[in-house]
Amino acid sequence: MAEDTMAAEEQAALSALLEANGYTEADQQDGSNPIQQLEVFLQDYPKMLALHHFPYLKVLKLIDQGIEMIESLTECKQLKQLWLMENKIGKIEGLSSCSGLQEVYLYSNRITAIQGLEQLTGLQVLSLADNYITSITGISHLGQLRHLNLARNDISLIGSSLLPNTALTYLNVAGTGVSSFQDVGGLSKLTGLQDLCLADPFWGESPVAGLCNYQTFVLCQLQQLTSLDTLLLADETKAAALATFTKKQLYYNMRIRTLRRAAADLAKQAKAGCQVESGRWAELQSRLKCAAKGLQGQLQQHQAASQSDQAQLQDQLAELQSAMQAVQSRQEDLSQRLAWDIKAAAAVLELAVSRLQLELLSGGNIRLEEARPGDSWLASCQELLRSKLIPAGEPGGSHGIVDIQVVSAARVHNRHLRMQCEKHMACIDSSAADDKHCIDYLLFGEHPALPGELMGVVQHGFRSSAEYNSMGLDGAVRLASCINLADQLRIQQQQQLGPNAVAKTGSSNAPGSGLLVGQLLVCKVQLGGALQEAEGQVQLLTKAGERDLRGEDGRVQVAACLDGTPVSQQQYPGMTAVYRTAVAYSGSTVSQQRQVLPQHRVWYVFNPVAVLPEYLITFKYVVTAGQQTDTLSAAAAAANSLNDLAGSNSKQSDPLLRLCAQPLQHWLLMQQQPPSENNNIGALELETLSSSVIPGSNLSADEAVAQQCQAALSAAAAAADNRRLSFSAVTPEALSGFAGGQQLAALTALSLHDCGLTSCWGLLQQLPALTSLVLSFNKLTTLDGLCEPAGQQHTLSQLDVSHNLLSYWQASWLAGCSKLTMLDASYNQLANLAHVDELVRYASLLVEVNLSWNPITQHKAYQLQLLRHLPDLQRLDGKTVAAGGNPNQTKLEDLIRQGAIQWHSDTGPVPKLPAGNTADLHPTQHQIFSLVVESRGLDSLAGVGAAHNLVCASFADNLLGSATGLEGCSQLQQLNLSSNLISELSPLSGLRSLRQLDVSLNHISSLTALMPLTALCQLSVEGNMLTSLAFVTALVNLLELYAANNAVADIKEAERLACLPGLVILDLAGNPLLAAAAEEYRPLLLYRLRHLKVLDGVPAEPLEVAAARAKYSGRLTLGFLEEQLGNACTLSTIRSLDLSSLRIKDTGVVFAPGSLFSSLAELVLDDNNIRSLAALAGLSSLAVLKISNNRLGDTEPIKLSLGVAPSPQSINNSAANHKLTNGGATNLPEQQQLVPLLPNLQVLHLAGNGLTSLAPLQLRFAPALRSLFVQDNELQRLDGLEGLGQLQELVADRNKIRVLGDDALAPLVRLKELHLQHNCIRSLVLPATSTSGGNQAGYDGSNTTLGGCLPSLCILRLDGNRLSDFGDLDRLADIPGLLEVSLAGTPLAKKQVRWPVLALQYMPMRLP
């Protein structure tokens, strides 16, 4: 019966297929023309039956038939296209026989996972849109897939799932949950992808498409696209997007680099502060050590003394040694605390950097706005937190916490989360409209089982209820209405770390670590809908140890973090959220009283979209002093005092930098205090950070140690032998006195402690059996001669030369002390690492070495050099060397095999390599494109060159002395060699593809080797020894240059960079040029480097740039002249200089006194915008000055004067001479108060300057002037010509002169040529306008004619004037030597009838 039914269904299905396509059974059975395509639409075909009757089928379309299962395709082996859209299919199956399928369309079904495609290796098109797929899996083997449509699915993450599909050209994920730019950016490795849809008119829009800067980011990251969201892309559109994103990337790169540099400076200051605080202990340690050495010397010299005296000395020595141990313990404690704080500051820095990177990669859609002190919302956060704290003394209050303070606050801006929340609120049923107002601000605290969860929530939002449930936690977002509930899990965890962890602020990697400091999120929560109280209550923990969160393995137990039975939505169907009420217990353990606190609740919100993070707050508890009921209160006083110090020192303007400074505030304060306040050993100032209360005593640990040291020093001073000898050099007589009668040849131990020694020449030659020698607390500057004669070996095994003045030593003395096992050279001035190299070379048997408190210990390779090359070393700088502390040389090949580095191919991490020879690495290294080897002690890059395809590499913070080994990495684009020991960059000169290079914090002094790297866009050379930036100018594509903290002292080096057209970011902070240029530095560079957007980490504001251009535009600089003419040596030999038409407004100090142009004879400044002559005071040899067509007429008269105030020395000399010649009177005449500006000036061109008078020029201070050109001005009369007795040529054409006064012309007794063309002169009559000319040379007041005023005149040009009286010709006849007169264009020239007569009358004159 079943078979009959099946046969009937089969037959009905076959009939339906044939009927729908217009075929008959005969057509189906006709083998000569097989059916290759079937299509069913608007028919009833609910099951895929009878398809095996069509073995030649190539195209099958079954649309909207209600099909639930893919079946009956086993015989359709030639099928190429399969269309099963708009059905009810829930699973992809039954396709294994159709291995030839090329196109599959399954959109608008009920598919939940991509599977069943394993055999379809030739598939090219796959459409699964409008289904219920949650993840992209099961298609990695589809190497030929070129078209993929996953639109309108529940996919929220793309990740790297599509990277194997390298043939993909079309991808549609519109209408999915993709919400991150970072997720989309991963598609950049699909180089063939051309068409991408994240928003589709048919399928909808993914959240990422609604974000700001969406198109800019996608087009920049996926430059291969030709179409986005169904729209074709123009090249101009992609270029604009790339330019916009590049600007943003440059800005964030700058902020990160500047932040790292500033944080490094803070760390240096913190170390300096620690040195200040540690210095007082070091000084006390020195006094103790000096006293102990003295007692040891007494014991050695007076061995025959009574046993009671020796015992007393031994006791006193033991007290000193005990005190020394206590001081050393305090020093180690300071060093440990500094290390903790620096580690915490580094963690905060990395967090800040990650925040900036997140802001960049999210296109600004996810960012944290750090609060500034004046922000009003910061005060609101403070009040909100206080209102949600249960203080001590109230029910539920605990640990003595009485208040809470906001350390830092950041407002969360996540556009995607906010859009989700707003959409959720908009979808609330209108009948429950009142629920929209049921909004509260609840707290989400740090969870011990979820480290880093707060930043994860900021970036991605809260996890789903199912994900929380799968982790063993409550299946909901757990929020609290008060801080005590939100933070109690963290407090319990911190308390279980022990009492020591409480006092160690900065002792963990978490920012703001420590029990008193925590973080939480303030969340805006929509609590509308159905609410219910959950079973159970939440206990407010008031004592340490009430809940054990850790198991036997030391890890947090998830079950211990729950408040009771886990909450899940299945327990409370229909509820949007549930809550539990808090309870607190008070009283003794025996009789505890239970108190319910209904106003304090823990909420469990099932829909994470309803919870929006608003503020990320770092806070600190304020604990009542004296209430030390548990470990939290025990650390209260110290932590509160430290926080006060931190708050008073928060002067950094950058909020992120303030965060980095918080763990270091104590040390920064110490560094800023004067040394006199910190080095008072007699009265050790107690520091809260270093203090801890001793049980049963009122003394702090510092006081106890100080009193112990004082008592030991007093006892040692009383027992000291004041009869000790003092001498500067060792002699046999002096040594015999110290030996106490012993034979020098047999002496094995000798202490010459505190003897004033300045030389130890030949000491060991006199003591052949000596094995122990103490030379501490002397004045030795060198150990040369200690082992003379050279080449002789000595038996010395212990040497103490601490507390001397040693700044160097030579290998000669070490060569004779090869048996040394102990060397103490602490508290000296050794600074060169070569001293360590000599030490390990000649004294390889050393077991104990102490070089502490020498500058050499700050060298990063110091300890590693000693540990590597001294295999028997047990103590170093007073500390025991840990087992296995002598590392061997680190090799890159070994690190690669061990998997100790990060290296990736283009498709992901490369697997760990097997052990073998170096050659085994080469076949695999060609796959590497990214390599990270940081902080591994690497001192060689041998073997890296085999990675020919390496694109990105980082070898930061190693011990590399050279970049040799990278020559073969020709594809390298990004390279980080920062924090190494590199001094030469020549191995990098062949890396022509390099775009980003970081060689900061090395020993580089020249950048010559980088000149061929013209593709460089970003160069970091901070913290080196550069004095010049000359070779940077060859890097024509450079956009970012970070050269802070070098030795560049001349601002001209920075001005060189003006030739780099794309340089937009420059950092030169910490270079000497900032102080040298002072206020000129920033505006000058902003003017000279026209494209600069950021200088020293500070953006260039438009008003600032405008002010710089207004100040320096047109200013002549020496650097410009050197670029145009040559170096400084050449400038001093120039005799003639043409600077015309350069739009110069100010010559600056180029021609000031002492300039390089003191020999200049001719200067051309025509066609500029100069308004003053005062800046030419240094041109003492100038003979010709051409300054026509400028703006001298637009300035104050004082700036035009050719007379200037004399130097102080000149004034003193003139006053002395005047006193001798005037009977002791010291008042100088007025004309002697000024001196000539240009004493040798002979030719002066002032044409076209808009001058209205020559008087302000004070031409009398140019007595040697021979030619004066003032044409094309606005002169109305010739004045100010006094003192020009040598003038021979005067040109004043094209002015507005109306009359010629005798006072103006009278001084010009040697004038030969006068040009007054095109003026307004009507007559040549010289009115006697002044009698002041009576004192002028060669002039008496009666000569009022032209001939009398100008007796030497030969040429007179009066063309274009208004002369009409023939009497003026008679006046010209009075000039005895006149040879040529020009009157063209005057009314006289128009009276032609009289010219023949005139020509005969004035025969000596040549008239026109």
Side-chain angles (χ1 to χ4, degrees), residues 802-841:
S802 59
H803 296 273
N804 277 281
L805 304 175
L806 299 175
S807 59
Y808 76 98
W809 60 43
Q810 295 181 353
S812 56
W813 76 271
L814 282 169
C817 298
S818 59
K819 297 182 180 179
L820 269 181
T821 59
M822 191 283 291
L823 174 64
D824 188 350
S826 57
Y827 294 90
N828 279 283
Q829 301 170 12
L830 299 172
N832 196 335
L833 194 64
H835 301 142
V836 173
D837 297 335
E838 295 168 355
L839 188 64
V840 299
R841 177 182 178 186

Side-chain angles (χ1 to χ4, degrees), residues 1036-1248:
V1036 293
N1037 290 308
L1038 198 64
L1039 300 176
E1040 304 172 73
L1041 175 60
Y1042 302 95
N1045 299 325
N1046 277 278
V1048 181
D1050 193 345
I1051 197 170
K1052 296 178 186 176
E1053 297 296 330
E1055 292 186 68
R1056 294 177 186 270
L1057 305 176
C1059 64
L1060 299 178
L1063 188 65
V1064 294
I1065 296 177
L1066 175 63
D1067 190 351
L1068 295 174
N1071 281 280
L1073 67 87
L1074 270 74
E1079 297 180 357
E1080 298 285 322
Y1081 164 73
R1082 185 171 177 85
L1084 179 58
L1085 289 190
L1086 289 180
Y1087 169 72
R1088 293 283 287 137
L1089 281 61
R1090 294 301 181 94
H1091 300 285
L1092 205 62
K1093 303 299 181 185
V1094 180
L1095 178 59
D1096 297 345
V1098 180
E1101 299 295 338
L1103 292 178
E1104 185 182 21
V1105 174
R1109 291 183 179 178
K1111 181 177 181 180
Y1112 292 102
S1113 179
R1115 174 177 287 194
L1116 186 65
T1117 63
L1118 193 60
F1120 171 77
L1121 293 178
E1122 289 178 348
E1123 292 175 6
Q1124 301 296 319
L1125 305 174
N1127 57 31
C1129 297
T1130 306
L1131 296 181
S1132 61
T1133 62
I1134 293 177
R1135 298 281 297 168
S1136 178
L1137 182 61
D1138 187 350
L1139 298 176
S1140 58
S1141 303
L1142 293 178
R1143 294 183 292 184
I1144 299 172
K1145 293 195 301 186
D1146 182 8
T1147 58
V1149 297
V1150 173
F1151 303 125
S1155 74
L1156 298 173
F1157 295 93
S1158 57
S1159 300
L1160 191 66
E1162 181 179 2
L1163 176 61
V1164 180
L1165 292 170
D1166 295 340
D1167 301 309
N1168 285 292
N1169 296 307
I1170 297 173
R1171 301 190 181 196
S1172 173
L1173 298 176
L1176 306 178
L1179 304 179
S1180 57
S1181 301
L1182 192 67
V1184 179
L1185 174 60
K1186 298 180 180 180
I1187 193 168
S1188 300
N1189 300 322
N1190 281 272
R1191 303 181 64 181
L1192 296 178
D1194 297 343
T1195 189
E1196 306 89 47
I1198 192 172
K1199 294 185 178 181
L1200 299 178
S1201 175
L1202 292 176
V1204 295
S1207 64
Q1209 181 65 32
S1210 301
I1211 294 177
N1212 293 338
N1213 294 339
S1214 299
N1217 295 334
H1218 188 75
K1219 182 176 181 180
L1220 290 175
T1221 57
N1222 293 277
T1226 57
N1227 293 330
L1228 290 174
E1230 181 179 357
Q1231 62 271 23
Q1232 295 186 13
Q1233 298 297 322
L1234 301 178
V1235 297
L1237 175 72
L1238 303 170
N1240 294 306
L1241 188 64
Q1242 297 182 21
V1243 179
L1244 178 60
H1245 289 253
L1246 296 172

Side-chain angles (χ1 to χ4, degrees), residues 266-277 338 667 670-671:
L266 287 176
K268 290 180 182 178
Q269 295 176 30
K271 292 178 181 178
C274 183
Q275 286 290 97
V276 170
E277 190 167 357
L338 175 66
W667 311 106
M670 293 302 301
Q671 188 263 344

Side-chain angles (χ1 to χ4, degrees), residues 793-807:
Q793 289 294 323
H794 297 273
T795 59
L796 191 66
S797 61
Q798 297 184 5
L799 176 62
D800 185 351
V801 289
S802 59
H803 296 273
N804 277 281
L805 304 175
L806 299 175
S807 59

